[in-house]
mmCIF file of all heavy atoms in Angstrom:
data_model
loop_
_atom_site.group_PDB
_atom_site.id
_atom_site.type_symbol
_atom_site.label_atom_id
_atom_site.label_comp_id
_atom_site.label_asym_id
_atom_site.label_seq_id
_atom_site.Cartn_x
_atom_site.Cartn_y
_atom_site.Cartn_z
ATOM 1 N N GLN A 610 -25.690 31.581 -22.291
ATOM 2 C CA GLN A 610 -24.645 31.804 -23.244
ATOM 3 C C GLN A 610 -23.270 32.148 -22.441
ATOM 4 O O GLN A 610 -22.270 32.176 -23.138
ATOM 5 C CB GLN A 610 -24.934 32.885 -24.232
ATOM 6 C CG GLN A 610 -26.098 32.606 -25.200
ATOM 7 C CD GLN A 610 -25.839 31.392 -26.049
ATOM 8 O OE1 GLN A 610 -24.760 31.215 -26.489
ATOM 9 N NE2 GLN A 610 -26.901 30.707 -26.343
ATOM 10 N N CYS A 611 -23.372 32.275 -21.233
ATOM 11 C CA CYS A 611 -22.167 32.694 -20.434
ATOM 12 C C CYS A 611 -21.386 31.294 -20.109
ATOM 13 O O CYS A 611 -22.007 30.378 -19.710
ATOM 14 C CB CYS A 611 -22.496 33.287 -19.086
ATOM 15 S SG CYS A 611 -23.094 35.048 -19.331
ATOM 16 N N ASN A 612 -20.103 31.264 -20.448
ATOM 17 C CA ASN A 612 -19.367 30.087 -20.124
ATOM 18 C C ASN A 612 -18.421 30.117 -18.946
ATOM 19 O O ASN A 612 -17.775 29.229 -18.579
ATOM 20 C CB ASN A 612 -18.503 29.775 -21.360
ATOM 21 C CG ASN A 612 -19.291 29.075 -22.350
ATOM 22 O OD1 ASN A 612 -20.390 29.495 -22.764
ATOM 23 N ND2 ASN A 612 -18.833 27.987 -23.044
ATOM 24 N N SER A 613 -18.456 31.327 -18.258
ATOM 25 C CA SER A 613 -17.624 31.519 -17.044
ATOM 26 C C SER A 613 -18.392 32.243 -16.001
ATOM 27 O O SER A 613 -19.179 33.217 -16.386
ATOM 28 C CB SER A 613 -16.384 32.260 -17.330
ATOM 29 O OG SER A 613 -15.565 31.551 -18.363
ATOM 30 N N PHE A 614 -18.357 31.762 -14.737
ATOM 31 C CA PHE A 614 -19.148 32.260 -13.677
ATOM 32 C C PHE A 614 -18.233 32.693 -12.441
ATOM 33 O O PHE A 614 -17.507 31.873 -12.056
ATOM 34 C CB PHE A 614 -20.258 31.464 -13.313
ATOM 35 C CG PHE A 614 -21.298 31.147 -14.307
ATOM 36 C CD1 PHE A 614 -21.174 30.066 -15.196
ATOM 37 C CD2 PHE A 614 -22.430 32.037 -14.499
ATOM 38 C CE1 PHE A 614 -22.024 29.876 -16.208
ATOM 39 C CE2 PHE A 614 -23.326 31.665 -15.416
ATOM 40 C CZ PHE A 614 -23.159 30.612 -16.261
ATOM 41 N N ILE A 615 -18.443 33.855 -11.945
ATOM 42 C CA ILE A 615 -17.790 34.348 -10.678
ATOM 43 C C ILE A 615 -18.945 34.669 -9.784
ATOM 44 O O ILE A 615 -19.651 35.563 -10.037
ATOM 45 C CB ILE A 615 -16.800 35.496 -10.898
ATOM 46 C CG1 ILE A 615 -15.696 35.161 -11.897
ATOM 47 C CG2 ILE A 615 -16.271 35.886 -9.591
ATOM 48 C CD1 ILE A 615 -14.712 36.308 -12.059
ATOM 49 N N ILE A 616 -19.150 33.763 -8.749
ATOM 50 C CA ILE A 616 -20.369 33.808 -7.954
ATOM 51 C C ILE A 616 -19.918 34.176 -6.517
ATOM 52 O O ILE A 616 -19.270 33.485 -5.834
ATOM 53 C CB ILE A 616 -21.153 32.559 -7.909
ATOM 54 C CG1 ILE A 616 -21.315 32.081 -9.450
ATOM 55 C CG2 ILE A 616 -22.493 32.683 -7.343
ATOM 56 C CD1 ILE A 616 -21.820 30.685 -9.607
ATOM 57 N N HIS A 617 -20.478 35.337 -6.011
ATOM 58 C CA HIS A 617 -20.386 35.779 -4.645
ATOM 59 C C HIS A 617 -21.449 35.161 -3.790
ATOM 60 O O HIS A 617 -22.195 34.322 -4.266
ATOM 61 C CB HIS A 617 -20.331 37.287 -4.626
ATOM 62 C CG HIS A 617 -19.224 38.034 -5.085
ATOM 63 N ND1 HIS A 617 -18.217 38.523 -4.356
ATOM 64 C CD2 HIS A 617 -18.803 38.321 -6.409
ATOM 65 C CE1 HIS A 617 -17.254 39.053 -5.063
ATOM 66 N NE2 HIS A 617 -17.647 38.953 -6.365
ATOM 67 N N ARG A 618 -21.483 35.652 -2.571
ATOM 68 C CA ARG A 618 -22.511 35.107 -1.681
ATOM 69 C C ARG A 618 -24.002 35.425 -2.254
ATOM 70 O O ARG A 618 -24.350 36.521 -2.772
ATOM 71 C CB ARG A 618 -22.526 35.822 -0.332
ATOM 72 C CG ARG A 618 -23.468 35.389 0.703
ATOM 73 C CD ARG A 618 -23.305 36.089 2.056
ATOM 74 N NE ARG A 618 -23.570 37.523 1.967
ATOM 75 C CZ ARG A 618 -22.573 38.419 1.967
ATOM 76 N NH1 ARG A 618 -21.326 38.076 2.193
ATOM 77 N NH2 ARG A 618 -22.947 39.737 1.995
ATOM 78 N N LEU A 619 -24.792 34.394 -2.301
ATOM 79 C CA LEU A 619 -26.189 34.489 -2.726
ATOM 80 C C LEU A 619 -27.053 33.764 -1.703
ATOM 81 O O LEU A 619 -26.888 32.653 -1.345
ATOM 82 C CB LEU A 619 -26.366 33.711 -4.002
ATOM 83 C CG LEU A 619 -26.060 34.450 -5.334
ATOM 84 C CD1 LEU A 619 -26.216 33.521 -6.492
ATOM 85 C CD2 LEU A 619 -26.966 35.634 -5.470
ATOM 86 N N GLN A 620 -27.961 34.558 -1.098
ATOM 87 C CA GLN A 620 -28.800 34.066 0.047
ATOM 88 C C GLN A 620 -30.160 33.797 -0.362
ATOM 89 O O GLN A 620 -30.927 33.020 0.234
ATOM 90 C CB GLN A 620 -28.788 35.061 1.213
ATOM 91 C CG GLN A 620 -27.373 35.195 1.839
ATOM 92 C CD GLN A 620 -27.241 36.135 2.909
ATOM 93 O OE1 GLN A 620 -27.786 37.252 2.823
ATOM 94 N NE2 GLN A 620 -26.637 35.804 4.100
ATOM 95 N N ASN A 621 -30.650 34.353 -1.432
ATOM 96 C CA ASN A 621 -32.089 34.133 -1.938
ATOM 97 C C ASN A 621 -32.130 32.739 -2.455
ATOM 98 O O ASN A 621 -31.394 32.356 -3.402
ATOM 99 C CB ASN A 621 -32.341 35.181 -3.020
ATOM 100 C CG ASN A 621 -33.837 35.111 -3.366
ATOM 101 O OD1 ASN A 621 -34.340 34.177 -3.921
ATOM 102 N ND2 ASN A 621 -34.671 36.182 -3.059
ATOM 103 N N PRO A 622 -33.089 31.881 -2.006
ATOM 104 C CA PRO A 622 -33.148 30.564 -2.457
ATOM 105 C C PRO A 622 -33.508 30.480 -3.917
ATOM 106 O O PRO A 622 -32.981 29.581 -4.690
ATOM 107 C CB PRO A 622 -34.307 29.975 -1.608
ATOM 108 C CG PRO A 622 -34.408 30.834 -0.373
ATOM 109 C CD PRO A 622 -33.987 32.209 -0.828
ATOM 110 N N GLU A 623 -34.304 31.384 -4.488
ATOM 111 C CA GLU A 623 -34.610 31.348 -5.899
ATOM 112 C C GLU A 623 -33.342 31.546 -6.717
ATOM 113 O O GLU A 623 -33.108 30.877 -7.742
ATOM 114 C CB GLU A 623 -35.679 32.421 -6.176
ATOM 115 C CG GLU A 623 -37.036 32.092 -5.721
ATOM 116 C CD GLU A 623 -37.983 33.145 -6.203
ATOM 117 O OE1 GLU A 623 -37.658 33.961 -7.138
ATOM 118 O OE2 GLU A 623 -39.112 33.148 -5.592
ATOM 119 N N ASP A 624 -32.499 32.445 -6.341
ATOM 120 C CA ASP A 624 -31.226 32.780 -7.013
ATOM 121 C C ASP A 624 -30.373 31.650 -6.956
ATOM 122 O O ASP A 624 -29.675 31.271 -7.906
ATOM 123 C CB ASP A 624 -30.527 34.091 -6.353
ATOM 124 C CG ASP A 624 -31.395 35.358 -6.768
ATOM 125 O OD1 ASP A 624 -32.067 35.434 -7.774
ATOM 126 O OD2 ASP A 624 -31.255 36.256 -5.868
ATOM 127 N N GLN A 625 -30.170 30.949 -5.777
ATOM 128 C CA GLN A 625 -29.377 29.814 -5.662
ATOM 129 C C GLN A 625 -29.707 28.698 -6.534
ATOM 130 O O GLN A 625 -28.997 28.088 -7.264
ATOM 131 C CB GLN A 625 -29.351 29.318 -4.199
ATOM 132 C CG GLN A 625 -28.759 30.305 -3.198
ATOM 133 C CD GLN A 625 -29.020 29.808 -1.731
ATOM 134 O OE1 GLN A 625 -29.112 28.674 -1.431
ATOM 135 N NE2 GLN A 625 -29.027 30.729 -0.804
ATOM 136 N N LYS A 626 -31.042 28.457 -6.523
ATOM 137 C CA LYS A 626 -31.619 27.433 -7.390
ATOM 138 C C LYS A 626 -31.398 27.664 -8.896
ATOM 139 O O LYS A 626 -30.979 26.811 -9.706
ATOM 140 C CB LYS A 626 -33.199 27.290 -7.211
ATOM 141 C CG LYS A 626 -33.915 26.167 -8.006
ATOM 142 C CD LYS A 626 -35.336 26.197 -7.705
ATOM 143 C CE LYS A 626 -36.039 25.174 -8.572
ATOM 144 N NZ LYS A 626 -37.516 25.213 -8.368
ATOM 145 N N TYR A 627 -31.505 29.003 -9.212
ATOM 146 C CA TYR A 627 -31.375 29.471 -10.651
ATOM 147 C C TYR A 627 -29.917 29.193 -11.079
ATOM 148 O O TYR A 627 -29.638 28.691 -12.197
ATOM 149 C CB TYR A 627 -31.764 30.789 -10.801
ATOM 150 C CG TYR A 627 -31.808 31.302 -12.176
ATOM 151 C CD1 TYR A 627 -32.720 30.847 -13.058
ATOM 152 C CD2 TYR A 627 -30.954 32.263 -12.652
ATOM 153 C CE1 TYR A 627 -32.813 31.338 -14.441
ATOM 154 C CE2 TYR A 627 -30.986 32.804 -13.932
ATOM 155 C CZ TYR A 627 -31.981 32.226 -14.889
ATOM 156 O OH TYR A 627 -31.977 32.700 -16.140
ATOM 157 N N VAL A 628 -28.967 29.521 -10.196
ATOM 158 C CA VAL A 628 -27.507 29.337 -10.618
ATOM 159 C C VAL A 628 -27.148 27.873 -10.740
ATOM 160 O O VAL A 628 -26.438 27.602 -11.604
ATOM 161 C CB VAL A 628 -26.698 30.103 -9.489
ATOM 162 C CG1 VAL A 628 -25.273 29.698 -9.670
ATOM 163 C CG2 VAL A 628 -26.793 31.595 -9.610
ATOM 164 N N ARG A 629 -27.769 27.072 -9.882
ATOM 165 C CA ARG A 629 -27.412 25.671 -9.924
ATOM 166 C C ARG A 629 -27.898 25.003 -11.230
ATOM 167 O O ARG A 629 -27.272 24.182 -11.821
ATOM 168 C CB ARG A 629 -28.077 24.910 -8.778
ATOM 169 C CG ARG A 629 -27.515 25.105 -7.477
ATOM 170 C CD ARG A 629 -27.923 24.192 -6.403
ATOM 171 N NE ARG A 629 -27.411 24.590 -5.082
ATOM 172 C CZ ARG A 629 -28.169 25.220 -4.143
ATOM 173 N NH1 ARG A 629 -29.428 25.632 -4.509
ATOM 174 N NH2 ARG A 629 -27.749 25.648 -2.973
#
Side-chain angles (χ1 to χ4, degrees):
Q610 296 296 324
C611 293
N612 281 49
S613 297
F614 296 89
I615 299 179
I616 310 171
H617 288 260
R618 180 178 66 252
L619 276 174
Q620 293 176 316
N621 187 294
E623 288 184 16
D624 292 330
Q625 294 173 26
K626 180 181 177 183
Y627 189 68
V628 169
R629 290 192 189 99

